[in-house]
Every structure is written in C-alpha cells, then in structure tokens.
Amino acid sequence: MATISAQPYDYKLPANLNQIALVLIDMQRDFLESGGFGDALGNDVSRLQAIVPTLKTLLDRFRELQLPIIHTIECHQPDLSDCPPSKLDRGNGSLRIGDRSAMGRILIKGEPGNDIISELAPLSGEIVIHKPGKGAFYATPLSEILRERGITHLLFTGVTTEVCVQTTMREANDRGYECLLVEDCTESYFPEFKQATIEMLRAQGGIIGWTTSSAAVLAALTPALTP
Ligand code: TIU
C-alpha cells in the first residue's frame, strides 16, 4: 500500500486515489491582501502570501492527476442573515464583517475581496464551498458532496492554520475522514500558533491526524503519473 511519509507515522493512501481530495481553505484576497479582513484585524498578510507558490505546485499536481480539489471561501450573505451577532460584534478591528473596504464589503459573498486569489482561482469542475463559519462542514453541503464522491482522505492546506484549517480538520476527523495537514502549504499570522497547531493535531498517535510536507505528498503521488 502506498504511503506518504508523515508524522507521527506514515499516512496510508487508498488504492483508489480518487478517494483523496486536496482541500484549500480560504485562500481569499480578504486574508492575503492589504485592505482585507486579515489586514483590518491588524495582521501581517505577507506571511500568508509566502505559501502561494508551494501550494500552487501541489494544486497543479492534483490537476494533472485529475484528483478531487475542494476550495473553501469564508463568506456571508449581503444581508448578514447567516452571520451570528457574536461573530459580527467580535473584536476591535477598524473594519468589521459587512463594512466597506478597498476590496468591497468585508467577507461578503461576491465582493472582490471575497474572491480566491488569482494564482489559485478554481477551475471548472473543482468544488467550491461557501462557508459562514470557520469550519467547512458547518452549514455547508460538504459532507454530502464527499459522501457522493466516495472521498475518504483529505489533505489540508490554506489559511489560517489555527483558525479555519484546524477547525475544519477537527470537524473532518470527527466525521471519520483520514486527515493530513500539509505543513508548508498552510500559514498563520502567528508562527507560534502554526507550530503549536501542527504539534497538537499529530500528538497522541495522531489524535486528529497527520502532518507532512508538500515534497512528501509530491513524492508519493509521482509514481501515479507513470502507467
Ligand atoms: N482571523 C483568522 O486567523 N482567520 C479567519 O478569520 N479565518 C480563517 O482562518 N480562514
């Protein structure tokens, strides 16, 4: 059985690689570009931009192999009916969800800042999940889509490691998915939070899942390219 070299031990691949999906969490302008939500919260967005070329390489390999690809977008309806007051009121940022910014209304579906960055823009046929929460399973059709397609293994990438990526990986683990976090394809505004998240997810024998590098994923998938 093929495996990906990972921590705390090797991650087993299913015989049918179509059961694996690459999940790109919230690679949106609102989190990665100046003037968006992340910036408004006082964060250094350049940290997140640094993973884009590495993630693009992994995305390209999944596209070459025609394996399932899932993009998520954190967003709300223009009338904010899907945004609980607790989320709307949280924090002391200069801009709040629904406010106008240089890239349109913050975290509102369809606004320019809500788009996935151009480098990683979804292609037709790729799954796009619009999610009102930090986790991608809450109030979305993700469970049904995964079940319909027979997807059992999820490779997690995207931003931010300790917020939306970790929340989604925990949701997925509880639902029985085999979860692998690709360390150099995820990032946080806080390096210490990224490191802590990596360590806590794979602790206790992989209590939530595994972690690895994109090089290890590419090495494991390369033989699949040759007949
Ligand atoms: N603020 C922060 O770290 N993250 C979010 O609000 N959303 C995601 O992680 N996508």
PDB file of all heavy atoms in Angstrom, residues 26 31 37 41 74 134 159-160 162-164 189, ligand 1:
ATOM      1  N   ASP A  26      -9.824  28.774   2.297  1.00  0.00           N
ATOM      2  CA  ASP A  26      -9.931  30.247   2.406  1.00  0.00           C
ATOM      3  C   ASP A  26      -8.725  31.024   1.875  1.00  0.00           C
ATOM      4  O   ASP A  26      -8.266  31.991   2.499  1.00  0.00           O
ATOM      5  CB  ASP A  26     -10.189  30.645   3.869  1.00  0.00           C
ATOM      6  CG  ASP A  26     -11.461  30.043   4.429  1.00  0.00           C
ATOM      7  OD1 ASP A  26     -12.162  29.336   3.694  1.00  0.00           O
ATOM      8  OD2 ASP A  26     -11.748  30.278   5.611  1.00  0.00           O
ATOM      9  N   PHE A  31      -7.985  37.598   3.176  1.00  0.00           N
ATOM     10  CA  PHE A  31      -6.995  37.160   4.164  1.00  0.00           C
ATOM     11  C   PHE A  31      -5.562  37.412   3.721  1.00  0.00           C
ATOM     12  O   PHE A  31      -4.663  37.521   4.551  1.00  0.00           O
ATOM     13  CB  PHE A  31      -7.171  35.670   4.474  1.00  0.00           C
ATOM     14  CG  PHE A  31      -8.483  35.359   5.125  1.00  0.00           C
ATOM     15  CD1 PHE A  31      -9.441  34.594   4.478  1.00  0.00           C
ATOM     16  CD2 PHE A  31      -8.786  35.864   6.378  1.00  0.00           C
ATOM     17  CE1 PHE A  31     -10.665  34.339   5.062  1.00  0.00           C
ATOM     18  CE2 PHE A  31     -10.007  35.617   6.988  1.00  0.00           C
ATOM     19  CZ  PHE A  31     -10.953  34.857   6.317  1.00  0.00           C
ATOM     20  N   PHE A  37      -9.859  41.660   5.307  1.00  0.00           N
ATOM     21  CA  PHE A  37     -10.266  41.373   6.685  1.00  0.00           C
ATOM     22  C   PHE A  37      -9.055  41.104   7.585  1.00  0.00           C
ATOM     23  O   PHE A  37      -8.958  41.638   8.697  1.00  0.00           O
ATOM     24  CB  PHE A  37     -11.201  40.156   6.671  1.00  0.00           C
ATOM     25  CG  PHE A  37     -11.810  39.804   7.993  1.00  0.00           C
ATOM     26  CD1 PHE A  37     -12.539  40.743   8.709  1.00  0.00           C
ATOM     27  CD2 PHE A  37     -11.690  38.523   8.513  1.00  0.00           C
ATOM     28  CE1 PHE A  37     -13.132  40.414   9.927  1.00  0.00           C
ATOM     29  CE2 PHE A  37     -12.274  38.176   9.714  1.00  0.00           C
ATOM     30  CZ  PHE A  37     -12.994  39.120  10.425  1.00  0.00           C
ATOM     31  N   LEU A  41      -7.757  43.287  10.833  1.00  0.00           N
ATOM     32  CA  LEU A  41      -7.599  42.754  12.188  1.00  0.00           C
ATOM     33  C   LEU A  41      -6.205  43.050  12.747  1.00  0.00           C
ATOM     34  O   LEU A  41      -5.881  42.665  13.861  1.00  0.00           O
ATOM     35  CB  LEU A  41      -7.863  41.235  12.199  1.00  0.00           C
ATOM     36  CG  LEU A  41      -9.307  40.800  11.914  1.00  0.00           C
ATOM     37  CD1 LEU A  41      -9.382  39.272  11.794  1.00  0.00           C
ATOM     38  CD2 LEU A  41     -10.259  41.276  12.992  1.00  0.00           C
ATOM     39  N   GLU A  74     -14.652  31.622   3.115  1.00  0.00           N
ATOM     40  CA  GLU A  74     -15.410  32.123   4.269  1.00  0.00           C
ATOM     41  C   GLU A  74     -16.174  33.364   3.818  1.00  0.00           C
ATOM     42  O   GLU A  74     -15.565  34.337   3.347  1.00  0.00           O
ATOM     43  CB  GLU A  74     -14.479  32.462   5.436  1.00  0.00           C
ATOM     44  CG  GLU A  74     -15.261  32.909   6.663  1.00  0.00           C
ATOM     45  CD  GLU A  74     -14.394  33.171   7.893  1.00  0.00           C
ATOM     46  OE1 GLU A  74     -13.198  32.829   7.885  1.00  0.00           O
ATOM     47  OE2 GLU A  74     -14.938  33.733   8.863  1.00  0.00           O
ATOM     48  N   LYS A 134     -16.013  29.085  10.651  1.00  0.00           N
ATOM     49  CA  LYS A 134     -14.591  28.810  10.497  1.00  0.00           C
ATOM     50  C   LYS A 134     -14.396  27.401   9.932  1.00  0.00           C
ATOM     51  O   LYS A 134     -13.530  27.166   9.105  1.00  0.00           O
ATOM     52  CB  LYS A 134     -13.865  28.987  11.838  1.00  0.00           C
ATOM     53  CG  LYS A 134     -13.992  30.394  12.443  1.00  0.00           C
ATOM     54  CD  LYS A 134     -13.538  31.492  11.489  1.00  0.00           C
ATOM     55  CE  LYS A 134     -13.684  32.881  12.096  1.00  0.00           C
ATOM     56  NZ  LYS A 134     -13.468  33.954  11.095  1.00  0.00           N
ATOM     57  N   VAL A 159      -5.381  28.793   4.829  1.00  0.00           N
ATOM     58  CA  VAL A 159      -5.196  29.733   5.938  1.00  0.00           C
ATOM     59  C   VAL A 159      -6.481  29.887   6.744  1.00  0.00           C
ATOM     60  O   VAL A 159      -7.558  29.667   6.224  1.00  0.00           O
ATOM     61  CB  VAL A 159      -4.749  31.106   5.404  1.00  0.00           C
ATOM     62  CG1 VAL A 159      -3.430  30.976   4.669  1.00  0.00           C
ATOM     63  CG2 VAL A 159      -5.798  31.762   4.506  1.00  0.00           C
ATOM     64  N   THR A 160      -6.340  30.306   8.022  1.00  0.00           N
ATOM     65  CA  THR A 160      -5.097  30.269   8.774  1.00  0.00           C
ATOM     66  C   THR A 160      -5.020  28.944   9.518  1.00  0.00           C
ATOM     67  O   THR A 160      -6.045  28.366   9.849  1.00  0.00           O
ATOM     68  CB  THR A 160      -5.002  31.445   9.785  1.00  0.00           C
ATOM     69  OG1 THR A 160      -6.087  31.347  10.724  1.00  0.00           O
ATOM     70  CG2 THR A 160      -5.043  32.777   9.087  1.00  0.00           C
ATOM     71  N   GLU A 162      -4.403  27.836  12.504  1.00  0.00           N
ATOM     72  CA  GLU A 162      -5.050  27.528  13.791  1.00  0.00           C
ATOM     73  C   GLU A 162      -6.516  27.911  13.840  1.00  0.00           C
ATOM     74  O   GLU A 162      -7.208  27.567  14.804  1.00  0.00           O
ATOM     75  CB  GLU A 162      -4.286  28.224  14.947  1.00  0.00           C
ATOM     76  CG  GLU A 162      -4.573  29.710  15.116  1.00  0.00           C
ATOM     77  CD  GLU A 162      -3.825  30.600  14.123  1.00  0.00           C
ATOM     78  OE1 GLU A 162      -3.244  30.074  13.159  1.00  0.00           O
ATOM     79  OE2 GLU A 162      -3.826  31.831  14.337  1.00  0.00           O
ATOM     80  N   VAL A 163      -6.998  28.616  12.809  1.00  0.00           N
ATOM     81  CA  VAL A 163      -8.415  29.011  12.828  1.00  0.00           C
ATOM     82  C   VAL A 163      -9.186  28.096  11.860  1.00  0.00           C
ATOM     83  O   VAL A 163      -9.647  27.027  12.250  1.00  0.00           O
ATOM     84  CB  VAL A 163      -8.593  30.518  12.547  1.00  0.00           C
ATOM     85  CG1 VAL A 163     -10.065  30.913  12.656  1.00  0.00           C
ATOM     86  CG2 VAL A 163      -7.787  31.347  13.568  1.00  0.00           C
ATOM     87  N   CYS A 164      -9.321  28.487  10.601  1.00  0.00           N
ATOM     88  CA  CYS A 164     -10.203  27.723   9.715  1.00  0.00           C
ATOM     89  C   CYS A 164      -9.644  26.357   9.327  1.00  0.00           C
ATOM     90  O   CYS A 164     -10.403  25.405   9.136  1.00  0.00           O
ATOM     91  CB  CYS A 164     -10.540  28.555   8.487  1.00  0.00           C
ATOM     92  SG  CYS A 164     -11.578  29.961   8.919  1.00  0.00           S
ATOM     93  N   TYR A 189      -0.957  34.031  10.775  1.00  0.00           N
ATOM     94  CA  TYR A 189      -0.368  35.342  11.043  1.00  0.00           C
ATOM     95  C   TYR A 189       0.601  35.248  12.226  1.00  0.00           C
ATOM     96  O   TYR A 189       1.403  36.149  12.441  1.00  0.00           O
ATOM     97  CB  TYR A 189      -1.468  36.360  11.368  1.00  0.00           C
ATOM     98  CG  TYR A 189      -2.490  36.568  10.261  1.00  0.00           C
ATOM     99  CD1 TYR A 189      -3.836  36.275  10.461  1.00  0.00           C
ATOM    100  CD2 TYR A 189      -2.109  37.064   9.015  1.00  0.00           C
ATOM    101  CE1 TYR A 189      -4.777  36.478   9.463  1.00  0.00           C
ATOM    102  CE2 TYR A 189      -3.044  37.263   8.004  1.00  0.00           C
ATOM    103  CZ  TYR A 189      -4.374  36.966   8.238  1.00  0.00           C
ATOM    104  OH  TYR A 189      -5.306  37.159   7.234  1.00  0.00           O
TER     105      TYR A 189
HETATM  106  N1  TIU B   1      -8.503  35.556  11.554  1.00  0.00           N
HETATM  107  C1  TIU B   1      -8.024  34.360  11.224  1.00  0.00           C
HETATM  108  O1  TIU B   1      -6.943  33.941  11.613  1.00  0.00           O
HETATM  109  N2  TIU B   1      -8.757  33.543  10.403  1.00  0.00           N
HETATM  110  C2  TIU B   1     -10.028  33.735   9.968  1.00  0.00           C
HETATM  111  O2  TIU B   1     -10.765  34.632  10.387  1.00  0.00           O
HETATM  112  N3  TIU B   1     -10.465  32.880   9.011  1.00  0.00           N
HETATM  113  C3  TIU B   1      -9.705  31.839   8.514  1.00  0.00           C
HETATM  114  O3  TIU B   1      -8.841  31.307   9.176  1.00  0.00           O
HETATM  115  N4  TIU B   1      -9.930  31.477   7.259  1.00  0.00           N
END
